[in-house]
Amino acid sequence: MGSENSCFVLLLAGGGMPDDLKAASGASKRCLINLGGKTLLERMLIALNDALDSPRIAVNLGYDEQGADLLLPYGESVSYYTCEGGLLDAIIKGLELLQAEAGRDISGENVLLVNVDLPLVTTEHVIALMSEATALEADGVWPVVEKSVVLKSFPDTKRTWVKTKQGTFTGGNIFLVKPRLIWDNRALLEKAYQNRKNPMAIASLFSPSLIMRLMAGSISIPDLELSFSQRFKAKLKLLLFSYPEVAVDLDKLDDYTLMKRLIEA
């Protein structure tokens, strides 16, 4: 595990999708959406395997085993599991699987958490992310991309933006974490996830002044990092990343239409 491009990977491929996206794509699961002759699952596995040094990958397939056949070419380096619970349940189960397969404590080792619905992410993006994220030597790293960078490449995309003193950003769907961050903060993360659409409930978990400054766009990146690091009792960093592809996910029908045009043009 000495190389910056050597780590465990937890690939989250079990997400469902709205009926209109299911009808348009003809896929039964999000990870099986086909773009340019490859499913989202195949695309991400190729990018990860080409970018990382002998990665050990665990794939969450969600509520059933559809898609497991796509993992066969990777042999024992890729395993899968099913999980009928929510996102946090899937992450915790996957981390436990990776540790059991490693046969040692991996709480302080790097794990790349990756959502499967990033069809524009390539090997180059993963290599750059690993290089820049590992250099921060943190317990958790979240790449964020500035609004102008995203819209320059993808003017039609619709994202959620957060204004800070350093600029307006959207978050990526890839994270570099040490498992102890998840395991030591499970109760807090569960409450935050359950209340993710309720700002007042989130404020009760964190600092109300933090939420107010976020809403006003008057907070700085260092202040955000400090506030969350103190709350989680860990070193957390935001990585200002230059590749917008990590933040452009396939979540809705509009996203599918956009990415189909970009990939199959």
Side-chain angles (χ1 to χ4, degrees):
M1 295 292 159
S3 169
E4 68 184 17
N5 281 348
S6 176
C7 73
F8 295 97
V9 178
L10 180 52
L11 179 54
L12 302 169
M17 54 181 167
D19 290 339
D20 58 352
L21 177 55
K22 185 179 294 187
S25 66
S28 57
K29 296 168 71 170
R30 191 186 305 270
C31 68
L32 300 181
I33 292 176
N34 192 302
L35 291 171
K38 294 184 179 67
T39 64
L40 298 188
L41 181 55
E42 290 172 300
R43 286 180 169 276
M44 187 56 73
L45 284 171
I46 290 170
L48 291 168
N49 274 278
D50 288 349
L52 303 173
D53 298 332
S54 302
R56 181 68 201 182
I57 303 175
V59 181
N60 169 39
L61 289 176
Y63 52 85
D64 62 31
E65 297 185 352
Q66 287 186 75
D69 57 313
L70 300 177
L71 310 180
L72 293 176
Y74 297 94
E76 294 183 356
S77 66
V78 178
S79 58
Y80 73 89
Y81 64 101
T82 59
C83 181
E84 296 184 2
L87 176 62
L88 188 58
D89 292 327
I91 291 174
I92 290 172
K93 187 173 182 179
L95 293 175
E96 291 172 346
L97 173 61
L98 287 171
Q99 177 158 277
E101 291 179 341
R104 65 176 189 275
D105 178 16
I106 67 167
S107 61
E109 299 188 37
N110 285 327
V111 176
L112 199 62
L113 299 183
V114 186
N115 280 328
V116 78
D117 56 357
L118 296 169
L120 303 178
V121 165
T122 66
T123 298
E124 177 187 5
H125 305 141
V126 178
I127 291 174
L129 178 61
M130 285 298 298
S131 176
E132 296 177 34
T134 53
L136 295 175
E137 298 182 342
D139 295 303
V141 180
W142 185 20
V144 295
V145 187
E146 211 278 325
K147 185 175 183 178
S148 64
V149 175
V150 176
L151 296 183
K152 181 179 179 179
S153 296
F154 307 106
D156 297 327
T157 190
K158 295 181 176 67
R159 309 257 62 88
T160 298
W161 308 102
V162 173
K163 184 180 179 182
T164 73
K165 289 182 177 180
Q166 284 72 31
T168 301
F169 297 89
T170 190
N173 276 7
I174 302 179
F175 310 82
L176 187 69
V177 304
K178 291 179 169 55
R180 64 189 177 213
L181 172 66
I182 308 295
W183 291 331
D184 292 348
N185 293 280
R186 179 169 183 169
L188 177 60
L189 288 168
E190 284 178 341
K191 290 179 181 178
Y193 181 72
Q194 290 167 1
N195 296 291
R196 62 193 181 279
K197 297 183 180 180
N198 186 337
M200 295 305 293
I202 293 290
S204 70
L205 298 175
F206 300 96
S207 165
S209 64
L210 171 66
I211 303 301
M212 293 295 290
R213 285 186 291 160
L214 272 173
M215 294 176 67
S218 61
I219 197 165
S220 70
I221 295 291
D223 284 345
L224 269 175
E225 292 173 332
L226 178 60
S227 295
F228 281 88
S229 293
Q230 290 176 337
R231 187 67 178 91
F232 284 93
K233 297 181 174 62
K235 182 181 179 182
L236 304 181
K237 301 292 288 185
L238 294 174
L239 172 62
L240 276 58
F241 201 51
S242 59
Y243 291 102
E245 289 84 358
V246 302
V248 181
D249 58 355
L250 201 168
D251 188 47
K252 304 178 296 294
L253 179 57
D254 287 347
D255 303 323
Y256 173 72
T257 302
L258 169 65
M259 294 181 191
K260 188 174 178 65
R261 185 175 77 242
L262 290 172
I263 292 172
E264 299 181 354

